[in-house]
């Protein structure tokens, strides 16, 4: 059984620290990465294709990177590959040839590489220490919720666009930030939601919709320790035959 792990490489060139490549490699085993993830001194930012992701990253850099020892993690969730396109339509992954699968997966890796590099360059320009976490899952909110528990995440920053932000303040929508704020993961993690460079207050709406959660109980849950699991890359389920 083969699972996918991913890593960000930073290369030195002409005396300058450059972020030259985002490489994804095929490895046997459960996961990769040995980076220490201290939840108390790390900031996690969810990133994707929308402009709100860059706004969230810039806000996090300006407001939460309080010392040189603070490490920033970029979380990127991408969907599972179930179908492989070909000239006459598409095939299920199981029916596609290995060559077709590898060709398509290579294209998808390059797209992720291009997407992530702009965030990495922003961090590099601000002299921020950064690592990247890639998660393969069809549910962005569920994947992030799981990471909060597994990695003992204490500070999470998420972006939201203007149209979803209107609903988010009343917690009546189904955007990723709202789904996470309504979950139990928000009890152990401080979640900041950013729209157009400004933080929006979703905590009052969350408390109003969940009156059973008193502020005291909320703080007590935040203080409960969660064993961290040092892992950089995750996959939602093992891939079987190709």
């Amino acid at each position: 059984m083969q699972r996918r792990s991913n890593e960000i490489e930073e290369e030195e060139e002409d005396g300058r620290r450059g972020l030259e490549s985002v490489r994804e490699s095929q490895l046997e085993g459960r996961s990769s990465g040995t980076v220490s993830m201290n939840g108390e001194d790390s900031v996690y930012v969810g990133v994707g294709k929308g402009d709100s992701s860059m706004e969230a990253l810039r806000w996090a850099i300006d407001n939460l990177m309080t010392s040189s020892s603070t490490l920033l993690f970029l979380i990127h969730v991408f969907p599972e590959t179930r179908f492989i396109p070909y000239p006459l339509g598409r095939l299920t992954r199981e029916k596609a040839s290995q060559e077709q699968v590898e060709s398509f997966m290579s294209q998808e890796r390059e797209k992720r590489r291009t997407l992530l590099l702009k965030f990495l360059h922003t961090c590099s320009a601000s002299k921020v220490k950064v690592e990247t976490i890639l998660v393969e899952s069809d549910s962005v909110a569920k994947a992030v919720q799981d990471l909060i528990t597994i990695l003992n995440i204490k500070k999470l920053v998420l972006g939201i666009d203007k149209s979803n932000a209107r609903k988010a303040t009343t917690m009546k929508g189904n955007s990723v930030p709202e789904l996470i704020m309504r979950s139990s993961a928000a009890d152990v993690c401080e979640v900041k939601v950013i729209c157009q460079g400004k933080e929006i207050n979703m905590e009052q709406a969350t408390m109003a919709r969940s009156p059973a959660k008193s502020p005291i109980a909320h703080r007590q849950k935040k203080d409960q320790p969660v064993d961290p699991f040092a892992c950089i890359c995750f996959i939602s389920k093992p891939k079987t035959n190709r």
Side-chain angles (χ1 to χ4, degrees):
M1 179 176 63
Q2 196 172 49
R3 298 187 181 183
R4 184 174 296 102
S5 69
N6 315 269
E7 61 182 359
I8 300 299
E9 283 192 337
E10 297 184 359
E11 299 178 353
E12 297 289 343
E13 182 178 359
D14 298 330
R16 294 184 178 181
R17 182 178 178 82
L19 294 164
E20 299 297 335
S21 65
V22 178
R23 187 183 69 186
E24 301 187 18
S25 58
Q26 300 284 343
L27 298 175
E28 293 288 339
R30 174 175 173 77
S31 61
S32 73
T34 57
V35 176
S36 175
M37 298 183 180
N38 185 337
E40 297 295 342
D41 195 34
S42 298
V43 176
Y44 294 74
V45 181
V47 297
K49 296 179 181 179
D51 293 338
S52 62
S53 293
M54 184 60 74
E55 294 168 356
L57 175 59
R58 287 173 176 155
W59 186 92
I61 291 173
D62 292 340
N63 294 274
L64 299 180
M65 304 305 291
T66 55
S67 72
S68 59
S69 63
T70 303
L71 184 61
L72 190 147
F73 289 90
L74 301 175
I75 301 174
H76 177 59
V77 181
F78 60 96
E80 296 182 51
T81 300
R82 302 182 186 279
F83 297 95
I84 306 298
Y86 80 115
L88 298 180
R90 62 179 188 171
L91 297 170
T92 61
R93 183 166 179 166
E94 291 73 18
K95 292 183 179 180
S97 68
Q98 184 174 356
E99 182 179 358
Q100 288 173 316
V101 172
E102 288 301 328
S103 175
F104 177 70
M105 297 301 288
S106 177
Q107 295 174 33
E108 292 301 298
R109 285 193 293 270
E110 182 60 26
K111 290 178 183 178
R112 288 194 290 274
R113 175 186 181 277
T114 301
L115 172 68
L116 291 170
L117 276 177
K118 66 179 182 180
F119 297 107
L120 293 171
H121 283 308
T122 296
C123 293
S124 179
S126 300
K127 302 186 185 307
V128 170
K129 297 177 182 178
V130 60
E131 296 286 347
T132 300
I133 301 173
L134 302 179
V135 186
E136 184 178 36
S137 174
D138 288 332
S139 173
V140 176
K142 181 62 167 60
V144 175
Q145 290 170 35
D146 290 343
L147 283 180
I148 289 173
T149 301
I150 294 170
L151 300 182
N152 193 24
I153 295 175
K154 296 300 183 183
K155 297 176 184 177
L156 173 67
V157 182
L158 301 170
I160 191 170
D161 59 39
K162 190 174 181 180
S163 60
N164 283 321
R166 295 191 185 97
K167 298 178 182 178
T169 54
T170 59
M171 298 297 289
K172 293 181 179 179
N174 289 307
S175 64
V176 171
E178 290 172 90
L179 293 174
I180 293 174
M181 290 293 288
R182 290 200 294 260
S183 73
S184 59
D187 295 339
V188 296
C189 176
E190 181 181 8
V191 182
K192 301 290 187 181
V193 182
I194 309 304
C195 179
Q196 297 184 319
K198 297 181 180 179
E199 181 183 0
I200 62 174
N201 189 355
M202 294 175 60
E203 187 170 350
Q204 291 181 353
T206 304
M207 297 296 291
R209 290 176 65 87
S210 304
K213 289 184 179 180
S214 67
I216 295 177
H218 186 72
R219 287 195 299 269
Q220 287 176 339
K221 286 189 177 182
K222 279 194 173 185
D223 292 336
Q224 290 178 354
V226 179
D227 291 334
F229 180 65
C231 180
I232 292 294
C233 310
F234 300 85
I235 190 165
S236 58
K237 61 179 69 174
K239 298 297 181 186
T240 54
N241 295 331
R242 293 182 175 181

